Amino acid sequence: MSAGRASAETLLSQAQSGDEAALGRLLSLVEKGGEPAQEISRHCHPKTGGAFTLGVTGAPGAGKSTLTSSLATVLRERGFRLAILAIDPSSPTSGGAILGDRVRMATHAQDDDVFIRSMATRGNLGGLSVATSGAVRVLDAAGFDWIIVETVGVGQVELAISRAADTTLVVLNPGWGDEVQAAKAGLLEIADLFAINKADREGTEQTERELRQMLSLRSSQSDWSPSITCTVATRGESVETLLDNIIEHRQWMEENGELDERRASRAWSELEQLVIARLVREASEMLTPGNHPDLARDLADKSTDPVTAAAALHKSHFPKRTAG
Amino acid sequence: MNARVLVAKPGLDGHDRGAKIVARTLRDAGFEVIYTGIRQEPALIARMAAQEDVDIVGLSILSGAHIALTRSTVAALKEANVGHAKIIVGGTVPEADIAKLKELGAADVFPTGTRMEDLVSRCRALVEERNKPLNERRQGQRRNAAFPGAVRR
Ligand SMILES: Nc1nc2c(ncn2[C@@H]2O[C@H](COP(=O)(O)OP(=O)(O)OP(=O)(O)O)[C@@H](O)[C@H]2O)c(=O)[nH]1
Ligand SMILES: [Mg+2]
């Protein structure tokens, strides 16, 4: 049967029984949004909570995919099933993308317990965080123990992603004061842990020192202080330790209620994004100039002014609200 | 549109320059291209096509084994429940083999030297063709469909 016409329920049960085409399909539908995505969300949400989601972010080329693949190896050795969501930017000019992260994850190509999906950022960040949360929800409902979300840390993308992960790992490289500056700019705030990857290169200790110093200056309300692990992802070095540190953070969050809190506030912020997206869509329909020929004319001949007209327009569309 | 294409290199030859050019060309034409690296087995290509839910699976073959590799990839895609993805074959394919490849299930063939504009327009046509029958089928089934909007892009 063609997956294109199956219901969310059917696709999900197929996905749960290991049909990767059905799972692939669900992820596309979620990414596309609209009613199918809503239906899928409704079926998946009650089945979530079993998976732990790790976000891996950092500068381009930092070794995120390689490190993700090594972490997957250790997770598999410990008996976990996992899904990897590898997100790359879409070209702003063509809208296309080359999604090449899975080339670095080829060691898992034959392992039925590792599912890999590539995703492009496609336009706005609100949309990205909604699509990512939706995809994570599907993977969680499909029964994976762990979900790793890889994303390149440029600008605000990592913030969008950190909204979809339980724990965020920031990957840096040695030898670059700039790296730490980058960390200062935005990555520092979202990091629960750091990996200084490519620790086979010079300058690892110095970068670690600089990072520690920077962290000590951070004013944080949390009593969690991010650990720093120096890794060589290509050789799997210290990746066990890194995973132990990640699990330590998970346990810390589970014990003090932080995990539930994060998940609840994530669900709320997803709701916010969705409502805002709807309102923006509605507003842009409402504002199509052709829909208000009278108003446009009145504005032009100055029989009304923009502020008054805006209030009137708003009121006519949302009659229950008082003007603001 | 957001059509998705898997670019794979089955077989033993290790040159992926052509495959990379194709990947970039399609990216610049607005496709999401999943690049998978060299020396892929048909069963693994099919598995990736399932996970990535692609519209098109592109095989770049320079080894001369295009007939056998196309045949086994077609079978592997069916096996992995992605028989609906369109297969295209590019590389060193002699003119005389094109009909044979299409008979085996390739939707289109792009021998070395194909103009990139042609590649793009024919890939776009494939995606459109792939969307159309589902849209038509959906008209007749609207009442039963659990997802009125759940058709291919
Ligand atoms: N020397 C050294 N090289 C590494 C290490 N980890 C990764 N690399 C190399 O760094 C390059 C980039 O690795 P990726 O894993 O693709 O990096 P990435 O951060 O996922 O890259 P993007 O997804 O393109 O941003 C590759 O050539 C890797 O082999 C490491 O620990 N040491
Ligand atoms: Mg990567």
Side-chain angles (χ1 to χ4, degrees):
Chain A
M1 146 168 135
S2 159
R5 286 169 294 130
S7 72
E9 214 172 354
T10 311
L11 284 173
L12 185 59
S13 73
Q14 286 167 336
Q16 284 168 327
S17 60
D19 181 345
E20 294 190 329
L23 183 51
R25 185 91 269 261
L26 280 169
L27 292 169
S28 301
L29 291 168
V30 160
E31 212 180 347
K32 204 176 156 206
E35 253 183 63
Q38 199 176 317
E39 174 109 24
I40 292 165
S41 170
R42 189 146 41 88
H43 279 281
C44 289
H45 192 65
K47 300 188 172 72
T48 57
F52 187 79
T53 309
L54 170 70
V56 177
T57 191
K64 301 177 294 294
S65 299
T66 314
L67 195 57
T68 296
S69 185
S70 313
L71 281 167
T73 302
V74 182
L75 284 166
R76 290 295 300 126
E77 282 164 10
R78 299 188 188 179
F80 295 112
R81 290 183 68 229
L82 76 148
I84 297 168
L85 198 57
I87 303 176
D88 279 313
S90 299
S91 151
T93 48
S94 75
I98 292 185
L99 310 171
D101 293 312
R102 57 183 310 147
V103 175
R104 308 256 175 238
M105 304 174 184
T107 40
H108 305 289
Q110 316 224 31
D111 185 344
D112 287 343
D113 291 319
V114 180
F115 179 96
I116 303 172
R117 172 70 174 222
S118 318
M119 203 161 114
T121 51
R122 292 190 189 174
N124 73 50
L125 291 167
L128 174 64
S129 64
V130 165
T132 308
S133 305
V136 165
R137 181 161 43 240
V138 167
L139 294 168
D140 189 344
F144 293 100
D145 304 307
W146 281 71
I147 301 164
I148 305 182
V149 183
E150 174 193 338
T151 181
V152 55
V154 285
Q156 298 294 304
V157 174
E158 70 273 9
L159 270 177
I161 304 310
S162 72
R163 290 212 182 101
D166 292 322
T167 285
T168 300
L169 168 70
V170 169
V171 184
L172 303 172
N173 294 142
W176 289 98
D178 306 0
E179 288 274 10
V180 181
Q181 290 306 316
K184 203 175 171 183
L187 293 174
L188 200 68
E189 274 88 76
I190 58 159
D192 296 304
L193 305 97
F194 290 92
I196 300 177
N197 187 48
K198 307 196 185 183
D200 49 333
R201 297 205 176 154
E202 261 172 59
T204 305
E205 278 157 39
Q206 195 191 334
T207 303
E208 188 182 349
R209 229 174 8 248
E210 285 170 5
L211 184 59
R212 272 195 208 292
Q213 198 182 359
M214 198 157 287
L215 287 173
S216 69
L217 297 174
R218 189 170 78 152
S219 64
S220 167
Q221 288 99 328
S222 169
D223 56 350
W224 172 263
S225 56
S227 59
I228 301 170
T229 317
C230 300
T231 58
V232 184
T234 37
R235 299 200 293 253
E237 265 176 50
S238 299
V239 176
E240 290 242 19
T241 312
L242 178 60
L243 182 61
D244 289 338
N245 289 338
I246 293 164
I247 290 171
E248 195 191 330
H249 183 246
R250 174 185 184 161
Q251 283 164 347
W252 176 82
M253 287 196 299
E254 280 168 350
E255 278 158 20
N256 66 10
E258 168 96 12
L259 185 59
D260 290 337
E261 235 169 76
R262 280 190 185 196
R263 288 178 173 178
S265 83
R266 232 160 51 213
W268 184 258
S269 93
E270 189 187 350
L271 177 150
E272 274 176 359
Q273 297 276 353
L274 287 161
V275 171
I276 289 169
R278 270 171 190 263
L279 289 175
V280 166
R281 235 183 355 256
E282 243 179 70
S284 63
E285 276 163 29
M286 169 176 112
L287 292 172
T288 308
N291 293 348
H292 310 283
D294 301 350
L295 208 51
R297 203 186 42 235
D298 292 351
L299 267 178
D301 66 21
K302 300 194 177 168
S303 54
T304 188
D305 64 279
V307 177
T308 309
L313 195 57
H314 185 264
K315 198 170 181 190
S316 75
H317 276 266
F318 302 106
K320 284 184 192 155
R321 266 172 254 172
T322 48
Chain B
M1 176 183 62
N2 293 122
R4 289 166 67 86
V5 185
L6 190 87
V7 172
K9 267 207 62 65
L12 295 177
D13 68 291
H15 306 283
D16 65 349
R17 231 183 52 206
K20 279 184 172 157
I21 291 170
V22 166
R24 278 196 292 270
T25 302
L26 290 174
R27 188 255 331 259
D28 293 342
F31 287 80
E32 290 180 1
V33 181
I34 292 102
Y35 191 72
T36 63
I38 57 172
R39 299 200 176 98
Q40 302 287 335
E41 288 167 36
L44 299 182
I45 291 172
R47 187 181 179 210
M48 291 188 277
Q51 295 176 342
E52 301 287 358
D53 187 31
V54 288
D55 305 276
I56 296 175
V57 174
L59 303 179
S60 162
I61 307 171
L62 303 173
S63 61
H66 44 274
I67 302 274
L69 288 170
T70 301
R71 183 185 283 123
S72 50
T73 305
V74 169
L77 286 173
K78 287 210 180 90
E79 177 77 14
N81 288 341
V82 271
H84 50 269
K86 304 273 186 190
I87 297 186
I88 58 174
V89 182
T92 50
V93 177
E95 201 64 29
D97 286 348
I98 293 179
K100 175 71 181 165
L101 290 175
K102 290 190 173 169
E103 192 185 307
L104 287 173
D108 212 338
V109 182
F110 303 101
T112 308
T114 303
R115 288 172 41 210
M116 286 297 134
E117 300 93 285
D118 292 343
L119 175 92
V120 168
S121 63
R122 279 149 73 183
C123 283
R124 283 202 178 119
L126 285 179
V127 174
E128 256 162 50
E129 186 189 320
R130 175 153 154 40
N131 291 342
K132 210 163 68 187
L134 269 168
N135 274 321
E136 278 162 12
R137 245 180 291 160
R138 177 186 146 216
Q139 298 294 319
Q141 294 205 342
R142 181 157 283 161
R143 226 156 265 156
N144 317 351
F147 291 162
V151 288
R152 299 294 312 180
R153 290 169 279 272

